[in-house]
Amino acid sequence: MGDTSIANGHENGKKQILINAFDMSTVGHLSTGQWKNPKDKSATKRKLDYWIDLAKLLESGGINALFLADTTGGYDTYEGKLDECIRRAAQWPVTDPTIPISAMAAVTKNLAFGITASTSFEQPFLLAKRFSTLDHLTNGRVGWNIVTSYKKLAFKAIGLDTPIEHDERYLQADEYLRVLYKLWEGSWAPDALSPDPENDSYVNPDKVRYINHQGKYFSLNTPHIVDPSPQRTPFLFQAGTSPAGSAFASTHAEAIFVSSHSPEVLRPKIDRIRKQAAELGRDPQSIKFFATFTPIVGRTDEEAQAKYKELQKYASVVGGLVLFSGWTGIDISGIPLDQEITAADSLAAGRITSQLDSLLKTSEYIPRWTPRVISEKAAIGGLGPVAIGSPTTVVDEMERWVREADLDGFNIAHATTPGTFEDLIELVIPELRKRGLYPELPASSDEPLTAREKIFGKGQKELRADHPGSRYKYDVYQEDPPFVKETEKKAL
């Protein structure tokens, strides 16, 4: 099971805070408009040098992983069209996040990579092949952020007029994961690849199992085409805390990405998922929760406030509203500036329900959600928490979120890139280390860890024994019975 002291996230009696850098292969991630800022390099993300330089920077600071968001299709809820999404570069244009990974892996040895990919748009076999390939090429430093997709434009892009209904998406995703476990965990014996030059045999076909899955959503009859990678199954992130999303996460996720403006809003959701995981026989503390967090850091509080005022000069308010409308299904363009927004305003049945629920919950920080409030906050940090201050001020706030929400770490979003990440490494990480909350850099002689070992401890390369995917391992594998439609059951 690996080193339990590390697996539980503690060192010297203190809970270690896990830090991922949060980025996206797009011009306007969560701080729209900063491409106009001379200090920002978001507009160079279509050049490989951006990603190589970022990977080297994150490696130098001992950052756990680079977590990459992704989307398919633009945000067309605002004003009922795509124009402002395109004009304001509100997560547009977007390139494929998987392609730069090999280049980044080549210039690092410890940085892990969390890559977003949807269960809605491709067959499981193709995704299994791609992630096995990446896991091989990175020596096991790959994680998958599992998402289901909801945008009408994204479904139209692949020839479907209507998105899959919200809860149905998670039922489909559950089967999708079980197909992947079969391919990743159950198809190849550990010693199937056994080169035998004398007998001209590279792989023993008797130890490569055909997966014969006949389910409600997917059918396939094939072995996995890639031999077992260092982790077999990539480290599994998931984002979504709706009731259906929580049930899915408590079953499958090893880490969960959450977002809210308040730790008090997050805590009940995190408690619920941990409780559900325990009911499924999983160690609830083995699921790690990461929250969005945008630090604006100076050497003093005054310097940080000056940085924030500078950022506000370039912020695209309309770009932030485009993202809010897209996430929630609420066309905010038609709502009076000081009118309170409610869930009843949502136009989209397939919206991200956890986003809508989280964003519209009030707190002492935001007693009312109105278009005016959202316009003030949406363009920097994407409505997630923005901490402005000295390293002491920012780390105090991080500790508060960890304590009050029961978080394990943060996905650090950039206001400007690479500036936010440079400040993180130069100013925030040393303060965390000074407090005993963040590990020192690994020694050059240390054996690099896989993405999973970095979370659960050395030796835990593959899924934990209490994870449901372990039930599909080669030695204990049993094929599921084929799916039978209700009409066929009645006929029987």
Side-chain angles (χ1 to χ4, degrees), residues 300-321:
T300 64
D301 287 346
E302 293 74 21
E303 184 182 310
Q305 289 292 341
K307 281 188 179 183
Y308 182 58
K309 286 179 182 174
E310 182 72 10
L311 291 168
Q312 287 177 310
K313 294 179 186 177
Y314 302 99
S316 173
V317 171
V318 172
L321 298 181

Side-chain angles (χ1 to χ4, degrees), residues 22 30 257-260 290-294 381 384-385 401 409-413:
F22 187 28
L30 295 180
F257 174 37
V258 292
S259 186
S260 178
F290 293 82
T292 319
F293 194 82
T294 305
W401 273 73
F410 298 93
N411 280 354
I412 302 293

Side-chain angles (χ1 to χ4, degrees), residues 1 281-282 460 462-471 473:
M1 291 298 292
R282 299 181 66 190
Q460 191 65 59
E462 298 186 15
L463 291 170
R464 287 169 50 97
D466 62 354
H467 189 282
S470 291
R471 295 199 284 267
K473 286 187 177 294

Side-chain angles (χ1 to χ4, degrees), residues 319-336:
L321 298 181
V322 166
L323 293 180
F324 173 87
S325 291
W327 291 333
T328 62
I330 297 170
D331 181 3
I332 199 173
S333 69
I335 299 175

Side-chain angles (χ1 to χ4, degrees), residues 75-94:
Y75 298 97
D76 64 345
T77 304
Y78 188 83
E79 297 182 341
K81 55 188 178 181
L82 198 56
D83 290 18
E84 292 300 342
C85 173
I86 295 173
R87 178 175 289 113
R88 313 293 176 166
Q91 297 187 4
W92 183 286
V94 183

